[in-house]
């Protein structure tokens, strides 16, 4: 079968592949924004990483992708402070969702963050999808301490992240809480004051990046959408995609029990590359990452890392149809190798949108 002619959805259904693989999905990209001053990199400076991120978002929108998401890391040659970038992407695009995956809440002032997020969301016309979390292993020891934060007595960094998160969610509701000055510089509206600018609806577009079933259920109770990446606590010893699917189902059950009025959203991220030309095969034809791997993200936490997918489109469709977590999710984020340049990454996204997604019923 030609790589340009993947099987139709009807063929897949009659072949006995999971029906849920045919669920329509939003498909976006997730960039870590790596840069390095190397001749082998097309992203050699922080300016390159930021400007190319904007260009890739514009290109992805033109290709029909649904989302442009950016990872946030501190003390690293990657994207860090996300809101200037999100605002710029929002100003240069018109339809595509823009978001993060994820912001480490151990580093954040919740009120200042609410101002930044409200401004970026208003610039984008209500397209911000803000992914936040406890954070991941860091470049430095307890980096959040350099930002002026430390947990309270007997508390952990994870506790502090959740405390910051609950404060953020509270102020995003748009209710007044601050006592106005009796002699303000400018006239105030009546009553207590809220954070400004306030963007209506942003509270429902906050996502929690979860690595465990328990934190997924916690996020559901607070009414946050769920982001689940290619790393998860190894809680059962089963394959990564099976454990992640169980996490998503636990999240949805907790959401139902909480009685929220709206439907939740769930995203998963994957490294997926359709091999359609010699350049693809040179970069990813022998990736050697077709199996999950096990590691430790700290002294106590055993984690499972999901496999990558790289194959000709027809074989790729067969493989992805078996991924239970992708089947459960409504949003798929494609991790992109941003240092290979905007044009190549646009090609990676286009290949999935045109040669793989339709065959799986995602489009």
């Amino acid at each position: 079968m030609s790589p340009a002619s993947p099987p139709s959805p009807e063929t897949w259904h009659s072949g006995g592949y999971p029906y849920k693989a045919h669920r329509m999905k939003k498909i976006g990209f997730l960039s870590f924004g790596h840069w390095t001053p190397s001749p082998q990199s097309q992203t050699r400076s922080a300016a390159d990483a930021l400007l190319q991120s904007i260009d890739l978002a514009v290109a992805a929108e033109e290709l029909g992708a649904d989302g442009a998401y950016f990872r946030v890391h501190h003390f690293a040659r990657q994207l860090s402070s996300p809101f200037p970038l999100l605002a710029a992407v929002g100003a240069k695009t018109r339809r595509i969702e823009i978001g993060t995956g994820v912001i480490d809440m151990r580093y954040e002032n919740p009120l200042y963050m609410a101002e930044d997020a409200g401004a970026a969301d208003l610039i984008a016309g209500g397209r911000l999808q803000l992914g936040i979390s406890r954070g991941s292993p860091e470049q430095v020891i307890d980096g959040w301490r350099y930002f002026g934060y430390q947990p309270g007595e007997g508390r952990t960094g994870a506790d502090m992240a959740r405390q910051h998160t609950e404060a953020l969610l509270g102020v995003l509701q748009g209710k007044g809480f601050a006592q106005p000055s009796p002699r303000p510089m400018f006239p105030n509206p009546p009553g207590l004051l809220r954070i400004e600018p306030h963007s209506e609806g942003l509270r429902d577009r906050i996502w929690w990046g979860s690595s465990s079933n328990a934190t997924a259920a916690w996020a559901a109770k607070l009414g946050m959408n769920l982001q689940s990446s290619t790393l998860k606590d190894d809680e059962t010893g089963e394959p990564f995609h099976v454990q992640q699917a169980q996490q998503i189902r636990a999240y949805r059950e907790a959401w139902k029990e909480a009685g929220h009025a709206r439907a939740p959203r769930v995203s998963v991220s994957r490294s997926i590359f359709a091999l359609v030309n010699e350049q693809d095969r040179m970069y990813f034809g022998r990736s050697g990452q077709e199996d999950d791997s096990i590691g430790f993200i700290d002294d106590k936490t055993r984690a499972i890392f999901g496999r990558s997918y790289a194959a000709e489109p027809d074989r790729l469709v067969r493989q992805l149809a078996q991924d239970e977590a992708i089947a459960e999710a409504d949003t798929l984020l494609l991790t992109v190798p941003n240092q290979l340049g905007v044009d190549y990454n646009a090609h990676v996204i286009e290949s999935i949108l045109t040669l793989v997604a339709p065959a799986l019923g995602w489009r």
Side-chain angles (χ1 to χ4, degrees), residues 5-26:
S5 303
S8 69
E10 292 77 13
T11 302
W12 283 102
H13 185 68
S14 63
Y17 291 96
Y19 175 78
K20 284 186 178 180
H22 302 276
R23 177 185 292 166
M24 295 287 287
K25 298 188 188 302
K26 290 182 178 291

Side-chain angles (χ1 to χ4, degrees), residues 17 43 59 71 87 127 135 156 185 201 212 216 221 244 257 263 290 304 321 327 331 337-338 353:
Y17 291 96
T43 311
R71 186 69 168 90
R127 290 181 284 129
T156 66
M185 182 178 295
S212 71
K221 291 175 183 176
Q244 191 175 51
E257 291 176 359
E290 294 192 357
I304 184 167
T331 301
N338 73 281
L353 292 177

Side-chain angles (χ1 to χ4, degrees), residues 274-296:
L275 307 182
V276 299
N277 60 34
E278 289 306 313
Q279 189 177 28
D280 298 329
R281 296 182 184 93
M282 177 182 68
Y283 285 141
F284 301 106
R286 297 178 181 176
S287 65
Q289 298 179 0
E290 294 192 357
D291 296 308
D292 300 336
S293 58
I294 300 294
F296 287 84

Side-chain angles (χ1 to χ4, degrees), residues 176-194:
F177 61 91
Q179 188 69 40
S181 168
R183 294 181 296 277
M185 182 178 295
F186 308 106
N188 281 323
L192 299 177
L193 302 183
R194 68 184 185 184

Side-chain angles (χ1 to χ4, degrees), residues 172-245:
L172 286 179
Q173 294 179 29
K175 297 178 181 178
F177 61 91
Q179 188 69 40
S181 168
R183 294 181 296 277
M185 182 178 295
F186 308 106
N188 281 323
L192 299 177
L193 302 183
R194 68 184 185 184
I195 288 292
E196 299 288 359
H198 172 69
S199 186
E200 193 68 36
L202 178 57
R203 169 62 179 83
D204 290 339
R205 287 178 273 117
I206 306 299
W207 304 60
W208 182 257
S210 173
S211 64
S212 71
N213 291 9
T215 54
W218 173 81
K221 291 175 183 176
L222 292 184
M224 290 186 283
N225 298 315
L226 177 66
Q227 286 185 338
S228 193
S229 71
T230 53
L231 179 154
K232 186 188 177 300
D233 293 0
D234 186 11
E235 299 183 78
T236 66
E238 295 172 283
F240 170 80
H241 72 100
V242 174
Q243 292 196 52
Q244 191 175 51

Side-chain angles (χ1 to χ4, degrees), residues 56-65 92-96 127:
L56 183 58
V58 171
E61 181 173 74
E62 292 173 351
L63 292 170
K92 296 278 280 187
T93 57
R94 292 292 175 267
R95 178 193 57 80
I96 199 168
R127 290 181 284 129

